[in-house]
């Protein structure tokens, strides 16, 4: 009988430990999801706010395909920001629909790579967006400097 009670006690202990571990797992998972969400929201500032204007900037320098645009942004930002082509290609299609860029296949028969360049309307829109965003970007830089100073200095 004592062995039976001892056995029941150890099963209950195991179940309690299992419950505790499940709760701990749920907490850790919730923390990881929160961190991931924060990272995504920071990434969206770049993707939604800066990517369109920066793609127009890259195309104002020379025609490029989506992969090259991603690589050029990565090079220009010393690898700190390398947008995925999964974000660049839909943006290029949107800009093309708006008449701001035009895409041309390197070989119309094989359709291997599509190179995009600014249209005259795209050049005007780039200049317009650039002047509209200048003040906002300057304000953002000041805010980042203040936040950085408050948090880390």
């Amino acid at each position: 009988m004592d062995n039976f009670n001892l056995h029941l006690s150890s099963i209950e202990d195991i179940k309690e430990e299992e419950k505790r571990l499940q709760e701990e797992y749920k907490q850790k998972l919730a923390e990881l999801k929160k961190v991931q969400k924060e990272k995504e929201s920071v990434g969206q500032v770049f993707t939604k706010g800066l990517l369109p204007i920066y793609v127009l900037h890259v195309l104002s320098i020379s025609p490029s395909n989506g992969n090259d645009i991603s690589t050029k942004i990565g090079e220009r930002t010393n690898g700190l920001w390398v947008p995925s082509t999964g974000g660049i290609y839909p943006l290029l299609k949107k800009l093309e629909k708006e008449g701001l860029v035009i895409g041309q296949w390197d070989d119309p028969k094989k359709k291997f790579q599509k190179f995009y360049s600014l249209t005259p309307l795209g050049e005007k829109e780039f200049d317009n967006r650039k002047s509209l965003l200048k003040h906002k970007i300057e304000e953002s830089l000041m805010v980042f400097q203040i936040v950085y100073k408050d948090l880390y200095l």
Side-chain angles (χ1 to χ4, degrees):
M1 198 66 149
D2 277 358
N3 280 344
F4 180 73
N5 286 336
L6 184 61
H7 182 69
L8 276 179
S9 174
S10 65
I11 289 175
E12 288 171 7
D13 289 345
I14 290 171
K15 286 184 178 182
E16 274 302 311
E17 181 64 10
E18 188 177 339
K19 277 184 188 176
R20 189 191 67 74
L21 288 172
Q22 283 178 336
E23 284 304 311
E24 187 178 316
Y25 171 76
K26 286 180 187 176
Q27 279 183 321
K28 295 277 186 202
L29 190 59
E31 288 173 21
L32 285 173
K33 285 181 179 178
K34 184 178 176 188
V35 167
Q36 184 62 33
K37 214 174 224 184
E38 288 171 358
K39 281 183 182 178
E40 287 172 5
S41 66
V42 169
Q44 285 180 353
V45 169
F46 285 103
T47 304
K48 295 206 187 309
L50 293 178
L51 187 58
I53 186 104
Y54 214 59
V55 165
L56 293 174
H57 169 70
V58 169
L59 293 176
S60 74
I61 298 169
S62 67
S64 297
N65 65 36
N67 290 330
D68 288 341
I69 291 169
S70 176
T71 300
K72 288 175 183 177
I73 292 173
E75 288 170 355
R76 296 184 70 81
T77 62
N78 297 317
L80 295 173
W81 179 31
V82 183
S84 76
T85 54
I88 289 178
Y89 280 108
L91 174 61
L92 288 169
K93 288 198 180 305
K94 180 178 179 262
L95 295 172
E96 193 171 26
K97 267 186 180 174
E98 294 172 358
L100 304 180
V101 302
I102 187 166
Q104 296 178 317
W105 293 103
D106 60 340
D107 182 340
K109 290 179 184 175
K110 291 183 183 175
K111 294 186 175 182
F112 181 65
Q113 283 188 343
K114 199 172 193 181
F115 283 84
Y116 293 86
S117 55
L118 290 181
T119 63
L121 178 63
E123 290 172 15
K124 284 182 189 174
E125 184 62 21
F126 171 58
D127 289 338
N128 185 37
R129 288 184 187 186
K130 204 166 86 171
S131 66
L132 286 173
L133 282 175
K134 183 178 183 193
H135 183 68
K136 281 290 178 198
I137 291 173
E138 289 169 343
E139 281 181 352
S140 297
L141 287 171
M142 288 189 290
V143 169
F144 278 115
Q145 288 174 337
I146 291 166
V147 170
Y148 181 83
K149 182 181 164 205
D150 286 349
L151 293 175
Y152 303 109
L153 299 180

